[in-house]
Amino acid sequence: MADTRNPAIVVVDDEPDVLRAIARDLRRQYGESYRVIRASSGAEAVDAVQKLTERGDAVALVLSDQRMPDLDGVATLKRVAEIAPAAKRAMLTAYADTDAAIGAINSGRIDYYLLKPWDPPEEKLFPVLDDLLADWRGTWRPGFGGFRLIADRWSSDGHRLRDFLSRNQIPYTFLDVERDESACELASGATLPLVVTPDGAHLENPTNAEVAQASGLSQTAEREFYDLAIIGGGPAGLASAVYGASEGLKTVLIEREAPGGQAGTSSRIENYLGFPSGLSGADLARRGVSQAKRFGVEILAPVSVESIRAEGPYKILSLSTGSEVACHALMLATGVDWRTLPASGADEMAGQGVYYGAAMTEAIGCQDEHVFVVGAGNSAGQAALHFAEYAAQVTILVRGDDLAKSMSQYLVDRIEAHEQIEVCLGHEIEACHGNGHLERITIRDREGGGTTEVETHYVFVFIGATPQTDWLGDFIARDDKGFVRTGPDLTPEDLAHWPLARDPFLLETSVPGVFVAGDVRHESVKRVASAVGEGSVAVAFVHQHLASL
């Protein structure tokens, strides 16, 4: 029998023979790590999930049939989502019920559906459930082990550390000194925030690099020379790493914060091909890192590149760790950062109520709060829908006069239909106020000019992207906004010192052997799929460059 502390998989079907068969297959595949619990009706499954959560037991997955009397599969999984929102929900259904399953995916009730029969399970069942369970484990925080982070809820450094631990998939428990007496005892006399490692070491207000070292993340290159070095671990960088290493290139990926980049902070990506129920940015990052490591990619994080220089055909990277690595081909996939909020007091409130990106670690704290989302792109829309699961009200502030100008229609439709989300067009934040943390904001009507002061503790900002490329200096050509020009976008002035007889390849910069992919590229399409495509396509040009050396 599986350990009673193991997470639970609940399977429900009103046909006894089918229930026994699916439970048998699940126990054979997952019995060592999960408890498999059978339920013969939707009501019985809901009751089982309720009792498990009341005992504090983790529910990893609920797999339900659709056609059942009284409570069908869609209704069952909807009830499960209310009781155990972190549990993955899948439907095992006949072909005739696929419309109901797709409808349930669109309404957020299920994560996936599978068609009967599921034989052989090794091909038709286990691969899908493996992915769902891996996604669930990526965010599961068991109540023991891992790091402990003791901080004030409103500490900007505490937010930085929570964000770093979460985005790097490092298990931790957060203890708020304002609400947890044991946290006060543990942190007595220490400088906060305090990180307590699994072996008992105390790190007072540590840097991300110090936490990375304590957690075993690699920050030192194993080699001095690589065929391909990639700067940036977002979708473009991870795609380049996977394709480069899978084709035999010695590859290193250098990431200054956490794999996933800006996309890694997204609460949901729903229009990425092959994931009908969508996936979070954290899931995408975890999958990409696992795939890259499987092909032998060396990942250094958090490590930044301070400067680049060329010596003949070689590119030399000076790292923040004080060391250097060299490579034949270099891929720039540094992405972009969110622009800061141009409001009085916003800088002082950064990390203390004003957050850039989805800041997933803050979602639980938004319970029953009035949350403001600033921006009109897809990331803002997804964040609003995500925070609406926790907050009493979410208000989206949009400078323009039409949300649909910059947001996908499927998101606009869902936002307009959501009772807890309000959209304010033609409004912006003029000022942020608070003592130690955000307490209220001043909102200005751009057309009428009037202002309103509103109480809030949470503002999430998504107002455009800016490339952080100043560190490149004059090494490669950039446009007036800092985006890197490539291929046909390079001007004659950019190519004044181009040393080769051939023209630059499509994604090649003004320096031979230096390529660019993703959002940092001039005139790029700001979508995850296009970044992945550019990252993979660029590797083909890397091969052509290497062949010419």
Side-chain angles (χ1 to χ4, degrees):
M1 182 177 293
D3 191 321
T4 55
R5 294 172 301 178
N6 284 348
I9 296 175
V10 178
V11 55
V12 52
D13 199 303
D14 65 326
E15 296 183 30
D17 290 343
V18 175
L19 183 60
R20 279 194 296 271
I22 185 67
R24 178 200 64 222
D25 287 342
L26 293 177
R27 287 195 178 103
R28 174 166 56 87
Q29 181 72 4
Y30 304 110
E32 291 186 4
S33 302
Y34 297 88
R35 286 177 288 161
V36 178
I37 298 173
R38 295 188 297 178
S40 58
S41 69
E44 185 179 334
V46 171
D47 184 59
V49 172
Q50 182 73 54
K51 290 178 178 177
L52 287 166
T53 55
E54 288 176 353
R55 291 201 304 261
D57 294 343
V59 180
L61 170 69
V62 178
L63 179 60
S64 175
D65 184 40
Q66 165 60 5
R67 293 194 178 186
M68 297 183 294
D70 299 325
L71 205 62
D72 64 16
V74 171
T76 297
L77 294 176
K78 180 180 180 181
R79 294 280 300 278
V80 166
E82 295 169 353
I83 301 167
K88 294 295 180 181
R89 303 176 296 279
M91 188 181 294
L92 190 62
T93 186
Y95 179 78
D97 297 320
T98 55
D99 285 346
I102 293 171
I105 286 177
N106 289 336
S107 63
R109 297 171 188 171
I110 72 171
D111 295 294
Y112 211 93
Y113 74 90
L114 303 99
L115 294 176
K116 296 179 181 180
W118 67 89
D119 229 13
E122 290 77 11
E123 296 178 10
K124 297 185 177 180
L125 179 66
F126 297 153
V128 172
L129 298 190
D130 285 347
D131 270 352
L132 290 175
L133 291 170
D135 288 349
W136 178 81
R137 279 197 173 271
T139 56
W140 180 42
R141 296 291 180 258
F144 56 88
F147 286 71
R148 283 175 290 176
L149 170 59
I150 300 98
D152 177 351
R153 170 189 177 190
W154 300 112
S155 164
S156 57
D157 280 321
H159 168 72
R160 167 181 59 81
L161 290 167
R162 279 187 288 158
D163 187 62
F164 177 79
L165 289 164
S166 297
R167 292 180 61 193
N168 281 282
Q169 314 278 329
I170 301 171
Y172 76 99
T173 300
F174 174 62
L175 302 176
D176 185 352
V177 290
E178 291 185 353
R179 304 178 182 181
D180 194 312
E181 292 183 5
S182 64
C184 295
E185 296 175 5
L186 190 61
S188 179
T191 300
L192 298 181
L194 174 69
V195 173
V196 182
T197 68
D199 61 6
H202 286 51
L203 307 177
E204 299 185 19
N205 194 16
T207 64
N208 291 352
E210 289 170 336
V211 175
Q213 184 176 7
S215 65
L217 293 179
S218 178
Q219 295 176 276
T220 304
E222 296 177 0
R223 304 162 61 93
E224 294 182 354
F225 187 85
Y226 296 85
D227 298 319
L228 173 62
I230 301 164
I231 305 176
L238 286 169
S240 294
V242 167
Y243 277 85
S246 67
E247 295 170 8
L249 301 180
K250 299 297 182 184
T251 304
V252 62
L253 186 150
I254 305 165
E255 167 55 44
R256 62 174 180 164
E257 293 179 356
Q262 193 181 82
T265 67
S266 177
S267 55
R268 207 75 186 159
I269 303 168
E270 293 192 77
N271 54 2
Y272 192 63
L273 183 65
F275 293 87
S277 59
L279 76 168
S280 71
D283 291 341
L284 179 65
R286 179 190 55 76
R287 291 167 182 263
V289 168
S290 298
Q291 197 171 15
K293 288 183 175 179
R294 184 165 68 88
F295 288 120
V297 176
E298 189 180 338
I299 298 178
L300 307 182
V303 176
S304 59
V305 178
E306 303 291 329
S307 62
I308 308 170
R309 68 182 188 273
E311 295 183 1
Y314 309 114
K315 287 77 188 171
I316 315 297
L317 313 182
S318 297
L319 308 182
S320 57
T321 56
S323 61
E324 292 186 339
V325 296
C327 59
H328 271 311
L330 175 64
M331 181 74 65
L332 298 176
T334 52
V336 293
D337 289 339
W338 296 112
R339 293 196 184 108
T340 56
L341 186 66
S344 172
D347 291 345
E348 291 79 1
M349 295 292 107
Q352 298 176 305
V354 175
Y355 305 100
Y356 293 91
M360 305 292 288
T361 55
E362 303 298 331
I364 297 298
C366 295
Q367 192 77 38
D368 300 325
E369 295 271 359
H370 186 179
V371 170
F372 285 81
V373 172
V374 183
N378 281 6
S379 295
Q382 289 290 3
L385 290 165
H386 176 71
F387 289 123
E389 297 179 13
Y390 302 88
Q393 182 181 351
V394 176
T395 298
I396 304 176
L397 298 178
V398 181
R399 286 170 54 90
D401 59 359
D402 185 0
L403 192 62
K405 284 183 178 179
S406 53
M407 187 179 294
S408 295
Q409 190 60 47
Y410 78 94
L411 283 174
V412 175
D413 293 341
R414 289 175 59 189
I415 287 169
E416 290 178 345
H418 204 294
E419 294 180 354
Q420 290 166 253
I421 300 178
E422 176 189 16
V423 179
C424 288
L425 300 175
H427 286 73
E428 62 185 0
I429 295 178
E430 185 175 83
C432 300
H433 315 277
N435 183 16
H437 64 85
L438 184 67
E439 297 174 350
R440 61 194 186 280
I441 57 176
T442 300
I443 301 173
R444 186 172 73 89
D445 183 338
R446 287 170 53 82
E447 183 175 347
T451 61
T452 306
E453 200 165 279
V454 182
E455 290 188 7
T456 184
H457 296 119
Y458 292 95
V459 169
F460 298 91
V461 182
F462 306 82
I463 54 171
T466 177
Q468 300 297 320
T469 55
D470 289 346
W471 62 277
L472 288 169
D474 297 328
F475 181 70
I476 58 174
R478 296 172 289 148
D479 65 19
D480 56 0
K481 295 181 179 179
F483 292 94
V484 179
R485 291 196 186 98
T486 59
D489 292 324
L490 290 165
T491 67
E493 292 77 11
D494 295 335
L495 297 175
H497 301 289
W498 180 260
L500 304 181
R502 66 169 177 83
D503 292 333
F505 294 123
L506 181 64
L507 297 174
E508 195 171 20
T509 70
S510 58
V511 177
V514 178
F515 300 85
V516 172
D519 290 356
V520 74
R521 186 178 64 80
H522 172 77
E523 297 294 340
S524 65
V525 177
K526 305 299 188 287
R527 288 288 185 269
V528 172
S530 63
V532 170
E534 287 185 14
S536 57
V537 167
V539 173
F541 298 122
V542 168
H543 281 294
Q544 293 183 52
H545 169 73
L546 295 178
S548 66
L549 295 178

